[in-house]
């Protein structure tokens, strides 16, 4: 996931001015709220929530293949 630096907002500012957060979500599509300068929360448009939560079968297959290739030595040891 790519994060637009314009979509970063501190938790203090989000708490004090939530309407600003909502406006940014409307404009950009998502906002990342920082807690102690670390990304902690993601606010997204409700209508776009399915896009973030659904992974196609092809993507799952690609991820599985990469994990198998990366950990092949460990899998062979465990198979013994």
């Amino acid at each position: 996931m790519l994060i637009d630096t314009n979509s970063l907002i501190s938790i203090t500012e989000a708490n004090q001015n939530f309407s600003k957060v909502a406006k940014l979500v409307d404009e950009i599509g998502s906002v990342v709220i920082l807690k102690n300068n670390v990304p902690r929360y993601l606010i997204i448009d409700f209508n776009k929530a399915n896009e973030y939560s659904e992974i196609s079968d092809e993507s799952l297959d690609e991820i599985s293949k990469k994990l198998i290739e990366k950990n092949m030595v460990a899998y062979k040891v465990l198979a013994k």
Side-chain angles (χ1 to χ4, degrees), residues 9-21:
I9 192 165
S10 72
I11 195 163
T12 303
E13 187 175 1
N15 188 33
Q16 293 172 352
N17 194 357
F18 190 77
S19 61
K20 178 180 179 180
V21 174

Side-chain angles (χ1 to χ4, degrees), residues 19-48:
S19 61
K20 178 180 179 180
V21 174
K23 184 178 178 183
L24 280 172
V25 171
D26 288 340
E27 292 173 1
I28 301 173
S30 65
V31 170
V32 176
I33 297 177
L34 304 172
K35 185 173 184 180
N36 298 324
N37 292 324
V38 176
R40 181 66 184 246
Y41 305 103
L42 174 65
I43 311 277
I44 60 172
D45 184 294
F46 187 80
N47 294 323
K48 294 184 180 182

Side-chain angles (χ1 to χ4, degrees), residues 1 14 51 54:
M1 175 181 189
E51 294 175 21
E54 293 179 2

Side-chain angles (χ1 to χ4, degrees), residues 42-74:
L42 174 65
I43 311 277
I44 60 172
D45 184 294
F46 187 80
N47 294 323
K48 294 184 180 182
N50 285 338
E51 294 175 21
Y52 288 98
S53 65
E54 293 179 2
I55 299 177
S56 70
D57 288 338
E58 290 179 20
S59 296
L60 289 174
D61 288 341
E62 291 173 18
I63 292 168
S64 296
K65 287 177 185 176
K66 287 179 184 178
L67 287 172
I68 290 171
E69 290 173 7
K70 181 178 179 182
N71 299 300
M72 184 56 72
V73 174

